[in-house]
Amino acid sequence: MLVGEIMKNKGVGVIAVAPDQTMLEVLRLFRDNNIGFVVVSQSNDEYLGSLSERDCCNAVAEYGAEAAMMRVGDVMNRNVATCSTRDLLPSVMGIMTQRRTRHVLVLDGGDVVGVVSIGDVVKHRLDEAQRTEQDLQDYICGTRYH
């Protein structure tokens, strides 16, 4: 399965924040949208980095209560894990494992088109396993085969 196919099923787009927003604003955005990752950008054309729930936890651990009012640009991850819409899912799984990240930014020709999360990977693998199980059951029972 290509990452681009997952993006078609999931839908393209990302939620972006400005680097001058506070972590508290972004944490509320996380809560309100049931997400754990945003792109940090000044404009729609480029990204500066990302901010995840883990980045926020690390900032609180390092700076204490004052972290909530820190600017996103001061705590964001500048070394964002990325992949292409033409990459295979096992490649993205490898990136997630190697980089110990739950989110990979999806690029298409340099443009940000979306995010693949560990949840997206699990959903795809679960759907795949269920299809395989059904195919095996049909084969054993002799249904759907002529």
Side-chain angles (χ1 to χ4, degrees):
M1 162 82 58
L2 294 175
V3 172
E5 293 173 46
I6 291 174
M7 296 311 303
K8 284 180 192 172
N9 294 335
K10 177 182 179 177
V12 296
V14 296
I15 295 180
V17 299
D20 60 344
Q21 288 184 255
T22 66
M23 273 199 6
L24 183 58
E25 291 172 314
V26 175
L27 288 169
R28 287 181 176 144
L29 183 72
F30 284 173
R31 178 199 61 205
D32 295 345
N33 290 280
N34 196 28
I35 59 172
F37 179 91
V38 292
V39 172
V40 181
S41 70
Q42 288 284 25
S43 67
N44 291 339
D45 296 343
E46 65 177 301
Y47 68 93
L48 304 171
S50 67
L51 189 72
S52 69
E53 291 169 319
R54 181 180 290 171
D55 297 325
C56 295
C57 288
N58 289 339
V60 170
E62 186 169 340
Y63 302 107
E66 65 190 54
M69 298 314 293
M70 291 179 71
R71 291 173 358 105
V72 168
D74 295 332
V75 295
M76 71 181 181
N77 175 7
R78 288 174 170 78
N79 187 18
V80 182
T82 63
C83 69
S84 164
T85 55
R86 293 172 300 284
D87 285 340
L88 293 171
L89 191 56
S91 173
V92 175
M93 293 167 64
I95 291 169
M96 288 177 170
T97 302
Q98 181 182 19
R99 299 279 303 271
R100 297 189 50 81
T101 185
R102 297 178 183 105
H103 303 89
V104 177
L105 202 56
V106 181
L107 305 176
D108 186 13
D111 295 329
V112 175
V113 295
V115 175
V116 173
S117 71
I118 191 73
D120 298 327
V121 172
V122 169
K123 180 185 181 319
H124 171 73
R125 287 298 199 193
L126 180 60
D127 291 347
E128 190 176 63
Q130 288 172 335
R131 281 191 306 274
T132 300
E133 181 181 343
Q134 185 62 53
D135 288 346
L136 289 171
Q137 252 181 345
D138 291 346
Y139 178 75
I140 290 167
C141 293
T143 58
R144 292 195 319 171
Y145 290 92
H146 303 287

